[in-house]
């Protein structure tokens, strides 16, 4: 390592990584430490313009220990999951040269050098929107760039997997499969891209962030309890999911929305079914989640073919995947009809992300929301009930790209001189 | 048939039949018409003092057709389920003689004679408390007495089964098993008593009737959809339930409450899990049901051994089975703490049935409810939320006896002269 006295340096990389939503669910590990799943899973990567993590990683001979800041607040890196990722990446680090700055770091130097990490989510961390998936994917991707790893994206995915299982699927855009693998050491438990984000680009995704006062079971402890106590989970993992994986790959390949929707909904429901079959039972969906499902199911049935697929992760939020912009606009009308915002909420902060869907739905202000007619699939003799305030907000988005490097230094989260958060 | 002109007669029988709650659930038929289940089930019969059906059946040469009144309102008997029960009973009718009234009815006469039936539930029909189980059991039991059937109670149970599956279990008191049977004609699909109501008489049952504005899926169509679409139901019926039946029989035999509670809770949750695994998914439990489960699970865990078992049928109502009077009193304190009545509700109509449990809990009026301290298992740092009005009322009861004849004519629901509702 060339370290000219009086010429201290900080080398930095900033990256942006998307979050993802599983349409064939991951639930249950066969190895807790290596985070190896009991079945394959398939996800859709979400557009990072609306949901993503940005991470800056920096190295400097001045840094005395590894440090990390999440959304501006320093957090501990002592957890096993962080340590596993850092160790795996360091062991694969390559030589780095920066002639301009007069920096040369050898493979051996990386063993002694410390890093600073700053990470930021462009969405509320506590909202249950898979922030750990985007977070660990971004940590691994940015460190791999900083340390000049030669490994391909799938290899990186198996490192990210050791931070948070679903993080491995955030290393790619579009449609991604996490192959469970067979090896004991997890080397073949990696993510692969099934199709990129342009393959099926008319899909529109609306996320309903559902208000909840329940404390939720963490997915780590939840899936452990399911594997230990559910009498149905092994049947799901061994008999049901393998068939669905084949069918889902085919549906994505052919852009067959009815099959895609049928499989995604059924698999989300089955995941929540095995949670309920756990002792003690785990409830992630609440009455609002149930009402959103009923609204979608009723509409899909009345149309004779699915307009929208729903899927729920380890929380009450609904991820609704529409066939195209037109069905998305009709979906948003239905959602705003049943779940109008509280009177003190501004429409502009109630529907966020891609606001053109709101325009397509012909909704400009709260008066338009109030004027929404009941959906035609509702029978006239049934009084419609509205659930004001039961949804916190909606995010309109779409399938999106994988991780990218951000070269504009204004987007860096660490100061290029001090290596501390800006 | 001796029918002296000018001397018209009405012959009548009145019976009372309990309802029952399954602790190993029946869900799914292998024959829709004969109502043959895909697995055995086990139930506890509930004390008819608090929940029962009373039915009067009468025969007279004056009756021109079969008629039935339910809770005072005439209903149609044309449904297949009523017709099946009536046909099965008529075909087994025996000679009846009443010397006092000068009546003699031959086996052949029964083919031409019509019956009047009046039925009354001592609990709200719409509350989702298995009124059809008690109803069909009472219909079959009372008609069998009227028509002097020689068949034993298990044979009668297989007739009641054709009215409503779970009705077959209401032909016995105490603990009852419905054997699924193997025969195509259903002849071996009968209920048998495992133990009578005195075998384990310290159990106390509290039913929370949960307010709901959702329209529920009927259990008939729900279980059909589950069998047709769930990928988990067959595994449940073939692999899981048979083992649980053996374990539950053993737990009942030994009065082993921890095993009983563990099995009952797990099986209730698994039944709701396969409902959720149905396309479209079926939700019977709501947020209030979930909260009751959480309350019980938290308490059971803190005590190290189960105090209370919970089980939910095709609706949001919780049936809570306490180990003994003491735990029932503690349970009622917890329930009233979390789910106090609306301010305009009288405590006397909020806790009904066996009110001595309320006394044991030291609760005499609403002031005592308001003064209830949070349960000790709640950690001090978590603010407790109360759910006022989310429960409509509580019923305190216990395991109870099977069907009985009521000989006091004042309890008859039909006039002994006209054969019409009183």
């Amino acid at each position: 390592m060339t370290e000219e006295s009086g010429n201290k340096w900080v080398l930095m990389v900033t990256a942006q990584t998307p979050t993802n939503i599983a349409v064939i669910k991951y639930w249950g590990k066969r190895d807790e430490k290596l985070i190896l799943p009991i079945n394959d899973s398939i996800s859709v990567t979400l557009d990072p313009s609306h949901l993503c993590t940005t991470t800056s990683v920096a190295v400097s001979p001045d840094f005395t220990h590894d440090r990390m800041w999440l959304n501006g607040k320093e957090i501990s890196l002592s957890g096993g999951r962080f340590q596993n990722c850092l160790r795996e990446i360091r062991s694969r680090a390559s030589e780095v040269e920066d002639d301009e700055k007069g920096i040369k770091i050898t493979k051996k130097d990386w063993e002694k050098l410390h890093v600073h990490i700053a990470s930021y989510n462009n969405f509320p961390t506590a909202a249950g929107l898979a922030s750990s998936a985007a977070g660990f994917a971004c940590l691994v991707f940015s460190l791999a760039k900083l340390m000049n790893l030669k490994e391909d994206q799938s290899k990186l995915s198996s490192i990210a997997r050791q931070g948070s299982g679903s993080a491995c699927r955030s290393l790619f855009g579009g449609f991604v499969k996490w192959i469970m693998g067979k090896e004991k050491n997890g080397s073949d438990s990696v993510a692969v891209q099934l199709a990129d984000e342009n393959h099926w680009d008319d899909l529109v995704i609306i996320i309903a962030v559902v208000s909840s006062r329940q404390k939720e079971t963490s997915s780590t402890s939840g899936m452990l309890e399911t594997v230990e106590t559910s009498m149905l989970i092994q049947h799901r993992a061994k008999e049901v999911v393998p068939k669905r994986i084949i069918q889902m790959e085919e549906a994505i390949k052919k852009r067959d929305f009815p099959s895609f929707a049928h499989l995604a909904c059924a698999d989300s429901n089955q995941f929540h079914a095995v949670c309920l079959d756990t002792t003690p039972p785990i409830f992630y969906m609440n009455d609002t989640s149930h009402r959103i499902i009923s609204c979608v199911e009723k509409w899909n049935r009345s149309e004779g073919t699915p307009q929208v697929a729903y899927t729920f992760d380890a929380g009450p939020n609904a991820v609704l995947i529409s066939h195209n912009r037109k069905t998305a606009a009709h979906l948003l009308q239905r959602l705003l009809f049943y779940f109008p915002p509280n009177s003190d909420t501004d429409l502009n902060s109630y529907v966020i992300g891609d606001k053109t869907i709101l325009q397509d739905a012909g909704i400009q202000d709260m008066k338009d929301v109030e004027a929404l007619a009941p959906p035609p699939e509702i029978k006239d003799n049934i009084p419609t009930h509205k659930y004001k305030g039961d949804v916190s907000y909606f995010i309109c988005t779409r399938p999106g790209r994988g991780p990218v490097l951000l070269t504009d230094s204004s987007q860096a989260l660490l100061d290029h001189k001090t290596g501390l958060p800006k």
Side-chain angles (χ1 to χ4, degrees), chain A:
Chain A
M1 163 168 48
T2 315
E3 193 184 335
E4 295 162 31
S5 69
N7 185 15
K8 296 295 172 68
W9 52 264
V10 170
L11 191 67
M12 181 160 42
V13 158
T14 299
Q16 186 193 61
T17 302
T19 186
N20 72 79
I21 177 79
V23 287
I24 300 292
K25 299 293 186 190
Y26 152 53
W27 196 252
K29 299 184 184 81
R30 65 177 200 278
D31 185 312
E32 290 291 322
K33 203 165 158 264
L34 291 171
I35 310 192
L36 301 175
I38 57 172
N39 56 252
D40 294 351
S41 54
I42 292 178
S43 61
V44 180
T45 299
L46 302 183
D47 188 343
S49 334
H50 310 125
L51 292 165
C52 74
T53 296
T54 303
T55 300
S56 291
V57 289
V59 63
S60 166
D62 283 353
F63 296 168
T64 55
H65 57 288
D66 295 337
R67 295 178 73 182
M68 177 164 181
W69 294 264
L70 176 61
N71 295 327
K73 210 181 142 191
E74 183 155 15
I75 62 164
S76 166
L77 278 172
S78 65
R81 291 172 167 220
F82 283 114
Q83 290 301 315
N84 289 347
C85 289
L86 287 167
R87 188 193 61 242
E88 293 292 314
I89 294 169
R90 272 204 174 93
S91 71
R92 290 171 177 81
S94 301
E95 193 175 278
V96 172
E97 276 195 71
D98 188 322
D99 290 343
E100 209 173 295
K101 292 188 178 172
I103 301 168
K104 186 176 177 184
I105 309 173
T106 67
K107 192 168 163 53
K108 201 152 178 65
D109 290 337
W110 284 114
E111 291 170 20
K112 285 171 261 161
L113 285 167
H114 294 287
V115 291
H116 281 186
I117 305 161
S119 201
Y120 173 79
N121 299 321
N122 71 347
F123 56 93
T125 310
L129 294 167
S131 54
S132 69
F136 274 104
C138 210
L139 177 79
V140 168
F141 180 77
S142 54
L143 283 173
K145 294 296 167 191
L146 180 74
M147 299 189 185
N148 193 22
L149 266 66
K150 309 295 187 196
E151 274 73 12
D152 67 11
Q153 207 75 340
S154 275
K155 183 65 219 173
L156 294 187
S157 80
S158 81
I159 300 174
R161 189 202 73 223
Q162 296 174 59
S164 169
S166 54
C168 73
R169 295 185 312 237
S170 273
L171 266 296
F172 297 95
F175 300 83
V176 185
K177 174 159 83 159
W178 175 10
I179 299 166
M180 63 177 285
K182 289 175 184 172
E183 298 297 332
K184 268 207 156 178
N185 65 8
S187 58
D188 58 349
S189 187
V190 298
V192 295
Q193 189 177 53
L194 297 175
D196 73 17
E197 60 274 24
N198 301 312
H199 166 71
W200 198 355
D201 62 358
D202 42 359
L203 298 181
V204 175
I205 298 171
I206 300 179
I207 301 170
V209 178
V210 169
S211 320
S212 167
R213 49 180 171 217
Q214 305 292 107
K215 205 207 159 293
E216 279 149 27
T217 310
S218 83
S219 56
T220 300
S221 65
M223 67 177 78
L224 178 60
E225 285 168 19
T226 301
V227 170
E228 282 177 349
T229 64
S230 167
M231 308 291 279
L232 302 175
I233 182 72
Q234 295 301 336
H235 183 76
R236 159 173 168 74
K238 286 177 188 148
E239 304 296 328
V240 182
V241 174
K243 289 177 194 125
R244 285 186 177 163
I245 288 283
I246 294 167
Q247 293 166 339
M248 182 57 96
E249 284 193 60
E250 194 66 14
I252 290 168
K253 196 174 159 193
K254 292 182 175 167
R255 291 184 284 263
D256 170 358
F257 190 78
S259 298
F260 175 86
H262 175 77
L263 288 163
C265 297
D267 205 66
S268 172
N269 291 328
Q270 189 170 86
F271 150 51
H272 292 278
V274 297
C275 287
L276 189 44
D277 189 51
T278 301
T279 300
I282 303 165
F283 314 110
Y284 286 124
M285 296 199 288
N286 63 18
D287 285 351
T288 307
S289 316
H290 292 174
R291 286 180 188 120
I292 293 172
I293 289 181
S294 297
C295 161
V296 170
E297 288 283 358
K298 213 175 283 174
W299 183 29
N300 282 347
R301 216 170 324 140
S302 78
E303 297 283 344
T305 184
Q307 309 296 301
V308 172
Y310 55 81
T311 188
F312 294 73
D313 269 355
N317 300 334
V319 178
L320 302 162
I321 308 174
S322 299
H323 197 171
N324 52 44
R325 285 188 67 88
K326 197 176 153 198
T327 54
H330 287 156
L331 171 64
L332 193 55
Q333 288 172 340
R334 283 167 172 81
L335 292 170
L336 290 171
F337 173 79
Y338 286 113
F339 305 100
N342 278 323
S343 354
D344 57 349
T345 307
D346 175 34
L347 184 61
N348 204 42
S349 61
Y350 194 60
V351 180
I352 64 174
D354 176 5
K355 304 213 187 230
T356 65
I357 305 295
L358 202 52
Q359 286 165 27
D360 284 11
I363 296 166
Q364 302 199 330
D365 53 29
M366 278 304 297
K367 271 187 213 152
D368 297 328
V369 172
E370 283 153 21
L372 283 167
E377 64 270 18
I378 294 179
K379 282 168 198 146
D380 292 336
N381 52 349
I382 298 170
T384 54
H385 197 94
K386 296 193 176 202
Y387 302 92
K388 204 176 201 173
D390 285 359
V391 168
S392 298
Y393 55 96
F394 295 103
I395 307 168
C396 297
T397 185
R398 65 178 78 82
R401 69 178 183 197
V404 289
L405 280 177
L406 301 180
T407 49
D408 177 357
S409 65
S410 73
Q411 293 179 285
L413 302 174
L414 295 169
D415 184 274
H416 73 283
K417 282 189 177 154
T418 63
L420 291 168
K422 279 182 176 173

